[in-house]
């Protein structure tokens, strides 16, 4: 099986390294040229949780046109706002049975991919693995967490079990699920409770659980998301706050993906995470002050580095 990682950043590179332990052939694709060039020069370095460093030889490209072998499975890990633009770039790397597995943060991703390749071409996943891009060509595994894979709707198919098998061979703890929509929403709560706070406070995930003020903010942000989820008919476990804090503990040394975006002065996924909760809440007539404030603060922070500075006047 040929697995193509579309969006091989921190998490995509880590998954690529793990999958290269199996008999699958793995190709990394990323627009981050420096990262790809570093992997080509010296392999992908992974700082493991036990303090060791492993090196993985991985085929890696920044230009999809350079990929000659069609992919059987494309794992989509581009930023949610890049999905519609990124998926068509790999059309030439696909055959008629290629399928896409989204492991992205946020909601609406499988629908976006399905709008391009059809629902039969898409699998949905969620993962609580943590990974940080330390420098080009080097990632740090930031913590283990369960990965779920399923069909967008209905029970797991043969294809789903095939992916679960592959991930397990890669020693990634993985389960098939027939309730992916629910799990995507649970993962959304994780991101709502961890990402913006870590990005704004310049901290790693663990401090969200350890520092009382951060824990309090996280609790309130997650409770607001639970209100929205309940209003939309999702059955979110009562202990969701504790689950989110447990992910923060399990990925304590990780810098959240939003934190890494801010560190690199990149656009964040705030609109698809806390911003999505605020927007859905607004349509439901709910006021969600904590998520609104977190969203506005992250957008202000982003504007500070994304917008060009005003012209200097004498
Ligand atoms: O999904 C993540 C992210 O950073 O986006 C978690 C699981 C919180 C790991 O950092």
């Amino acid at each position: 099986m040929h697995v193509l990682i579309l969006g091989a950043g921190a998490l995509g590179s880590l998954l690529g390294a793990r999958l290269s332990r199996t008999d699958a052939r793995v190709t990394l694709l990323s627009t981050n040229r420096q990262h790809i060039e570093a992997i080509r020069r010296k392999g992908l370095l992974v700082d493991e949780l036990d303090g060791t460093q492993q090196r993985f030889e991985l085929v890696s490209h920044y230009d999809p046109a350079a990929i000659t072998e069609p992919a059987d499975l494309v794992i989509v890990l581009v930023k949610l706002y890049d999905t519609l633009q990124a998926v068509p770039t790999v059309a030439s790397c696909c055959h008629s049975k290629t399928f896409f597995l989204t492991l992205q943060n946020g909601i609406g991703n499988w629908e976006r991919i399905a709008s391009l390749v059809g629902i039969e071409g898409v699998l949905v996943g969620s993962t609580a693995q943590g990974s940080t891009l330390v420098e080009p060509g080097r990632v740090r595994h930031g913590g283990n967490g369960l990965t779920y894979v399923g069909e967008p709707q209905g029970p797991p198919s043969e294809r789903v079990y095939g992916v679960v098998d592959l991930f397990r061979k890669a020693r990634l703890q993985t389960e098939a699920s027939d309730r992916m929509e629910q799990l995507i929403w649970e993962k959304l709560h994780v991101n709502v409770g961890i990402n913006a706070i870590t990005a704004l406070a310049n901290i790693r995930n663990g401090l969200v659980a350890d520092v009382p003020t951060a824990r309090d903010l996280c609790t309130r942000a997650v409770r607001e998301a639970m209100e929205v989820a309940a209003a939309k008919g999702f059955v979110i476990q009562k202990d969701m706050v504790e689950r989110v804090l447990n992910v923060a503990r399990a990925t304590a040394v990780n810098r959240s993906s939003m934190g890494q975006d801010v560190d690199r002065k990149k656009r964040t996924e705030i609109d698809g995470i806390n911003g999505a909760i605020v927007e859905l809440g607004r349509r439901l007539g709910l006021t969600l002050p904590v998520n609104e404030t977190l969203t506005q603060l992250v957008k202000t922070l982003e504007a500070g580095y994304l917008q060009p500075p005003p012209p200097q006047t004498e």
Side-chain angles (χ1 to χ4, degrees), residues 101-114:
L101 165 66
T102 164
L103 288 173
Q104 298 157 282
N105 283 337
I107 47 179
N109 291 306
W110 75 256
E111 293 90 337
R112 279 180 208 109
I113 302 171

Side-chain angles (χ1 to χ4, degrees), residues 75 90-91 94 102 136 177 185 190 207 218 242-243 269 271 283 305:
I75 301 181
V90 295
C94 296
T102 164
S177 174
W185 266 83
V190 169
L207 290 194
C218 168
E242 205 39 48
R243 284 162 175 252
E269 295 184 306
D271 284 331
R283 283 187 226 155
Y305 57 72

Side-chain angles (χ1 to χ4, degrees), residues 12-22 26 28 35-36 38-48 52-60 137-141 170-171:
S13 301
L14 178 82
L15 292 184
R18 296 293 183 253
L19 291 170
S20 73
R21 291 165 167 168
T22 68
V26 178
L28 303 184
H35 183 51
I36 295 299
I39 297 170
R40 286 187 179 169
R41 268 199 316 276
K42 54 182 172 61
L44 174 73
L45 303 176
V46 180
D47 298 354
E48 301 288 356
T52 62
Q53 190 181 66
Q54 314 267 359
R55 193 175 156 278
F56 296 84
E57 289 286 348
L58 286 162
V59 176
S60 37
R138 181 173 158 215
V139 297
R140 181 176 59 230
H141 185 201
R171 280 175 266 150

